[in-house]
């Protein structure tokens, strides 16, 4: 990214005519990512949106989650994933949403760079370790001004047993991240949904309003420039 | 239509990529569920600027009437005001689980987008929704998976008294119902909970018959 900026800067300094400058300026691709929470009762903790190259993998289905993803999925804390993404040259831009995405609401964030893969994740806070995910979605077909709508599925980080107890679910005043991996199957996978006390799991702190089906979020990707 | 086609032929060379054309569409709708019935369907081609609902936004009164009671007349009237092509009730009644219905639409030039809605029975305010899908101009058959939405206008009590009917008669009675409120915005339906108690329990719906997972319907569009 920095080399492209320098090149653009040289272009400016060597050119006296402002019209010509406009013609020759190479604009860095920029995308507006708007996420809508499609659930009835699952607020989503601040999601992370990453623009990256083909080498970066936020998570891989069927393999163990990174500690950073575990931290996001169990406690809604995106800071470690953000820091890791920003520290690697495989990532052009990594941003967190400005806040919680309450059910039915929408938030947008902008990412910028030459890399053309997009990943995102955000915790469903009335779960043990469930999150919405988009993994390495290729953006190269999007022209300037074009937009695309995607529907997101829900994943289970596989790092915490889905007890649904008040003590373990953040939005039920339970704990967030715990380094112990007590899920019998320590692999990222599709989330099977919550059972809830209304369906007979008496130890669950959740009720019918917390149930969900996919898609749990809608994403509109608009290429701005 | 002949005149339109002639005009189109004359201008094809210059307008290849942007021209709007009248289309003949064959629309097949299949109910993919185990025990959910669809009320009379509304199938419409309309301008891209028209939308029957928006996720995250409160439902219109006419969407509410469709989702809570299966009445599509209000939505059909709304679509009439924008000169949409509208077909209602292609199945001549309910679309039962596992069955398919088909209809044909000859669309006006401006009606580039397709929407399909119908209430799901038994639910409080659940409906199937194909929302503002851009119809391809290239002839061929296109298959779309359809999700179940909740209109957000009625609490999901799952009491049969709050639901028009269970056409499959698998429902119970005497439940306490779920203590919930209407969500206030259109969203993906969280599904029926149900229970296995036909004379009490929390829900009058049957957990074995009345649950689903998306996609609940398949729409297959053939562009002639």
């Amino acid at each position: 990214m920095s080399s492209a900026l320098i090149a653009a800067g040289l272009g400016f300094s060597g050119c006296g005519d402002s019209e010509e400058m406009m013609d020759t300026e190479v604009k860095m691709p920029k995308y507006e990512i708007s996420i809508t929470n499609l659930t009835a009762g699952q607020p989503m903790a601040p999601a992370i949106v990453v623009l990256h190259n083909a080498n970066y993998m936020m998570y891989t289905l069927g393999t163990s989650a990174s500690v950073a993803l575990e931290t996001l999925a169990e406690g809604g804390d995106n800071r470690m994933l953000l820091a890791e993404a920003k520290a690697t040259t495989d990532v052009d831009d990594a941003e967190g949403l400005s806040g919680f995405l309450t059910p039915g609401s929408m938030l947008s964030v902008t990412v910028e760079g030459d890399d053309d893969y997009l990943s995102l994740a955000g915790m469903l806070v009335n779960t043990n370790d469930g999150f919405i995910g988009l993994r390495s979605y290729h953006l190269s077909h999007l022209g300037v001004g074009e937009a695309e709508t995607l529907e997101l599925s829900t994943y289970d980080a596989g790092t915490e047993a889905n007890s649904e107890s008040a003590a373990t679910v953040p939005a039920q005043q339970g704990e967030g991240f715990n380094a112990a991996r007590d899920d019998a199957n320590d692999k990222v996978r599709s989330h099977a949904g919550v059972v809830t006390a209304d369906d007979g799991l008496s130890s669950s702190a959740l009720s019918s309003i917390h149930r969900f089906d996919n898609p749990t979020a809608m994403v509109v990707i608009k290429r701005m420039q | 239509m002949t005149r339109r086609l002639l005009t189109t032929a004359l201008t094809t060379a210059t307008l290849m990529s942007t021209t709007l054309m009248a289309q003949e569409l064959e629309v097949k709708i299949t109910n993919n569920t185990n025990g959910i019935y669809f009320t009379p369907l509304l199938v419409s081609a309309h301008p891209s600027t028209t939308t029957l609902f928006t996720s995250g936004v409160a439902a219109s009164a006419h969407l509410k009437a469709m989702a809570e009671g299966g009445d599509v007349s209000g939505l059909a009237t709304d679509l009439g005001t924008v000169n949409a092509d509208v077909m209602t009730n292609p199945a001549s009644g309910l679309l039962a689980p596992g069955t398919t219905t088909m209809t044909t639409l000859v669309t006006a030039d401006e009606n580039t987008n397709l929407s399909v809605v119908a209430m799901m029975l038994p639910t409080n305010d659940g409906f199937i929704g194909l929302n503002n899908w851009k119809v391809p101009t290239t002839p061929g058959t296109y298959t779309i998976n359809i999700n179940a939405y909740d209109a957000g206008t009625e609490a999901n009590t799952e009491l049969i008294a709050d639901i028009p009917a269970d056409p499959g008669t698998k429902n119970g009675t005497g439940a306490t119902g779920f203590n919930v409120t209407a969500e206030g915005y259109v969203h993906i339906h969280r599904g029926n909970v149900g229970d296995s108690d036909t004379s009490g329990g929390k829900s009058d719906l049957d957990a074995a018959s009345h649950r689903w997972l998306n996609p609940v319907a398949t729409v297959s569009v053939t562009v002639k």
Side-chain angles (χ1 to χ4, degrees), chain A residues 18-205:
Chain A
S18 63
E19 247 178 73
E20 263 181 64
M21 271 172 57
M22 290 302 286
D23 288 344
T24 54
E25 181 184 4
V26 178
K27 283 187 174 171
M28 188 72 78
K30 187 170 168 182
Y31 305 91
E32 180 188 62
I33 314 297
S34 302
I35 310 175
T36 302
N37 181 334
L38 297 181
T39 71
Q42 288 283 352
M44 293 165 188
I48 173 176
V49 178
V50 181
L51 186 67
H52 57 86
N53 66 22
N55 297 326
Y56 175 85
M57 287 285 168
M58 187 177 279
Y59 58 92
T60 304
L61 292 176
T63 68
S64 288
S66 67
V67 173
L69 184 76
E70 178 184 9
T71 306
L72 177 137
E74 292 183 7
D77 182 353
N78 66 21
R79 288 174 297 181
M80 192 185 295
L81 258 185
L82 267 174
E84 285 186 4
K86 285 179 174 177
T88 166
T89 54
D90 291 329
V91 169
D92 260 354
D93 201 355
E95 305 288 339
L97 285 196
S98 58
F100 274 69
L101 205 50
T102 55
S105 69
M106 185 196 70
L107 284 172
S108 298
V109 69
T110 312
V111 288
E112 195 171 349
D114 287 324
D115 286 345
D116 53 7
Y117 286 86
L118 189 76
S119 292
L120 71 84
M123 183 194 186
L124 278 67
V125 296
N126 281 302
T127 66
N128 287 90
D129 57 343
F131 66 100
I132 53 165
L134 176 69
R135 190 177 54 90
S136 297
Y137 185 73
H138 208 188
L139 301 172
S140 61
H141 60 284
L142 267 189
V144 175
E146 289 181 346
E148 186 173 19
T149 301
L150 304 177
E151 292 179 335
L152 298 192
S153 285
T154 317
Y155 298 95
D156 186 317
T159 56
E160 178 178 327
N162 292 344
S163 69
E164 302 179 16
S165 68
T168 62
V169 174
Q172 303 298 320
Q173 320 307 324
E175 74 169 3
F177 173 73
N178 184 323
R181 297 209 171 185
D182 60 355
D183 191 311
N185 183 17
D186 183 8
K187 292 184 169 100
V188 181
R189 57 195 189 256
S190 286
H191 203 291
V194 290
V195 181
T196 85
D198 280 331
D199 193 27
L201 181 62
S202 58
S203 58
S204 173

Side-chain angles (χ1 to χ4, degrees), chain B residues 24-32 38 41-44 90 95 99-105 114-117 128-130 133-136 138-147 215-224:
Chain B
E24 186 182 344
L25 309 177
E26 199 176 272
V27 183
K28 271 164 72 175
I29 301 119
T30 301
N31 180 337
N32 295 341
F38 301 163
L41 290 143
L42 171 74
V43 180
S44 174
L95 189 67
T99 63
T100 297
T101 187
M102 194 180 81
T103 187
T104 304
L105 280 181
L114 188 73
S115 291
V116 178
V117 292
I128 65 159
L130 173 64
W133 181 74
K134 188 168 175 49
V135 180
T138 309
T141 297
Y142 304 86
T143 301
I144 314 141
N145 286 326
I146 307 301
N147 294 324
V216 288
T218 306
V219 170
S220 173
V221 180
T222 300
V223 179
K224 299 278 185 172

Side-chain angles (χ1 to χ4, degrees), chain B residues 49-75:
Chain B
T49 48
T50 301
T51 191
L52 299 183
F53 65 94
T54 304
S55 292
V57 174
S60 69
H62 290 159
L63 191 85
K64 172 182 155 88
M66 180 278 296
E68 293 184 13
D71 178 6
V72 295
S73 62
L75 289 176

Side-chain angles (χ1 to χ4, degrees), chain B:
Chain B
M1 184 151 118
T2 315
R3 232 175 76 189
R4 269 186 197 136
L5 285 174
L6 184 62
T7 311
T8 306
L10 288 171
T11 55
T12 295
T14 47
L15 294 176
M16 200 63 168
S17 59
T18 54
T19 190
L20 302 172
M21 295 167 60
Q23 288 180 305
E24 186 182 344
L25 309 177
E26 199 176 272
V27 183
K28 271 164 72 175
I29 301 119
T30 301
N31 180 337
N32 295 341
T33 69
N34 171 38
I36 302 292
Y37 291 71
F38 301 163
T39 60
L41 290 143
L42 171 74
V43 180
S44 174
H46 52 76
S48 61
T49 48
T50 301
T51 191
L52 299 183
F53 65 94
T54 304
S55 292
V57 174
S60 69
H62 290 159
L63 191 85
K64 172 182 155 88
M66 180 278 296
E68 293 184 13
D71 178 6
V72 295
S73 62
L75 289 176
T77 303
D78 294 344
L79 288 161
T81 63
V82 295
N83 299 315
D85 304 297
V86 180
M87 172 68 188
T88 55
N89 198 13
S92 301
L94 298 170
L95 189 67
T99 63
T100 297
T101 187
M102 194 180 81
T103 187
T104 304
L105 280 181
V106 177
T107 66
D109 294 9
E110 303 76 19
N111 295 334
T112 55
N113 288 36
L114 188 73
S115 291
V116 178
V117 292
M119 183 191 185
M120 299 168 65
L121 284 175
T123 67
N124 288 92
D125 58 341
F127 68 97
I128 65 159
L130 173 64
N131 192 19
N132 221 355
W133 181 74
K134 188 168 175 49
V135 180
T137 51
T138 309
T141 297
Y142 304 86
T143 301
I144 314 141
N145 286 326
I146 307 301
N147 294 324
Y149 289 87
D150 185 315
T153 55
E154 181 182 330
N156 292 1
T157 59
E158 300 192 12
L159 292 173
I160 198 68
D162 297 335
I163 293 169
D166 172 25
T169 64
K170 299 277 202 261
N171 67 286
T173 55
T176 55
F178 293 114
N179 182 24
V180 287
T181 54
E183 301 83 1
Y185 56 92
V186 179
H187 57 282
I188 294 292
H189 203 294
R190 59 187 181 269
N192 283 333
V193 183
D195 61 26
S196 53
D197 187 339
T198 55
S199 59
K202 288 183 174 173
S203 171
D204 283 335
L205 304 184
D206 178 38
S209 307
H210 296 143
R211 288 191 174 196
W212 69 81
L213 289 176
N214 288 323
V216 288
T218 306
V219 170
S220 173
V221 180
T222 300
V223 179
K224 299 278 185 172

